[in-house]
Amino acid sequence: MDLKKHIRHVPDFPKPGILFYDISTLLAHAAAWHEALDRLTEALRPYQPDLLVGIESRGFLVAAPLADRLGTGFIMVRKRGKLPGEVIRHAYDLEYGQDVIEIQAEAIQPGQRVVVLDDLLATGGTMAAAVTLLQKVGAEVAAIGCLIELTFLRGRDRVDMPVHSLLSYDS
């Protein structure tokens, strides 16, 4: 199945000059979504993760069903102020400013193997920040997974572990 046929391209969203790769059309097509999950499951199974980590918010859509398929737990990395209880924060630089991501302090035990998931890997800034945060709390980050990778932005160069993407776009 050609999964690219199920990704909608939305020009000038969220701002002029940006081409948005919309996964909602993939999610809405049962057979295509099932196939995408099957492929990611097989790509990530060899890493034998204890937990899957989803990055807010579309990463949750990928990580949660994969965790069920792989028989692992699922945890969230979220933007500041979205998680209850004690959290561990990591601030990181954006093109114009800074952002902060958080994880619940008790979510990961030191040495647990994790795979980090998001819907799309572009410049890699948020993914690299999530990896740093996870390593800070003692996780062993085994791999990265995503539905879409914009290879021309070289986001995989910002992480030092295997990256598995189902679909790649070169421009």
Side-chain angles (χ1 to χ4, degrees), residues 3-10 19-27 33 36 40 58-59 62 117-124 127 144-153 155-156 163-171:
L3 295 177
K4 281 188 174 182
K5 290 181 180 178
H6 299 281
I7 303 296
R8 182 172 56 159
H9 301 143
V10 182
L19 177 59
F20 186 80
Y21 294 85
D22 183 12
I23 67 165
S24 64
T25 47
L26 175 69
L27 296 168
W33 180 230
L40 274 175
R58 289 183 300 267
V62 180
L117 291 137
D118 208 350
D119 67 321
L120 183 134
L121 179 62
T123 64
M127 184 62 75
I144 304 296
C146 59
L147 294 173
I148 299 169
E149 181 179 2
L150 305 181
T151 56
F152 61 97
L153 295 175
R156 69 173 49 224
V163 174
H164 295 276
S165 54
L166 290 185
L167 309 170
S168 60
Y169 293 90
D170 298 326
S171 61

Side-chain angles (χ1 to χ4, degrees), residues 106-157:
E106 72 284 355
I108 294 179
Q109 300 303 309
Q112 284 188 298
R113 289 176 60 81
V114 302
V115 171
V116 187
L117 291 137
D118 208 350
D119 67 321
L120 183 134
L121 179 62
T123 64
T126 302
M127 184 62 75
V131 168
T132 299
L133 175 60
L134 291 162
Q135 290 171 335
K136 185 178 183 179
V137 298
E140 178 190 332
V141 182
I144 304 296
C146 59
L147 294 173
I148 299 169
E149 181 179 2
L150 305 181
T151 56
F152 61 97
L153 295 175
R154 305 184 59 84
R156 69 173 49 224
D157 293 348

Side-chain angles (χ1 to χ4, degrees), residues 34-157:
H34 188 82
E35 179 69 20
L37 291 174
D38 281 350
R39 291 180 192 179
L40 274 175
T41 299
E42 291 314 306
L44 300 176
R45 186 182 310 282
Y47 295 100
Q48 301 178 333
D50 299 308
L51 295 166
L52 296 187
V53 178
I55 298 176
E56 185 168 336
S57 65
R58 289 183 300 267
F60 301 167
L61 299 171
V62 180
L66 286 178
D68 179 62
R69 286 172 172 229
L70 291 169
T72 71
F74 161 68
I75 59 171
M76 298 173 282
V77 167
R78 300 206 66 186
K79 295 175 184 171
R80 181 195 313 246
K82 303 274 182 125
L83 291 170
E86 184 182 347
V87 297
I88 308 295
R89 291 185 174 89
H90 178 68
Y92 64 103
D93 292 326
L94 298 170
E95 190 173 337
Y96 299 105
Q98 260 198 351
D99 207 349
V100 175
I101 54 173
E102 299 176 335
I103 190 170
Q104 290 174 313
E106 72 284 355
I108 294 179
Q109 300 303 309
Q112 284 188 298
R113 289 176 60 81
V114 302
V115 171
V116 187
L117 291 137
D118 208 350
D119 67 321
L120 183 134
L121 179 62
T123 64
T126 302
M127 184 62 75
V131 168
T132 299
L133 175 60
L134 291 162
Q135 290 171 335
K136 185 178 183 179
V137 298
E140 178 190 332
V141 182
I144 304 296
C146 59
L147 294 173
I148 299 169
E149 181 179 2
L150 305 181
T151 56
F152 61 97
L153 295 175
R154 305 184 59 84
R156 69 173 49 224
D157 293 348

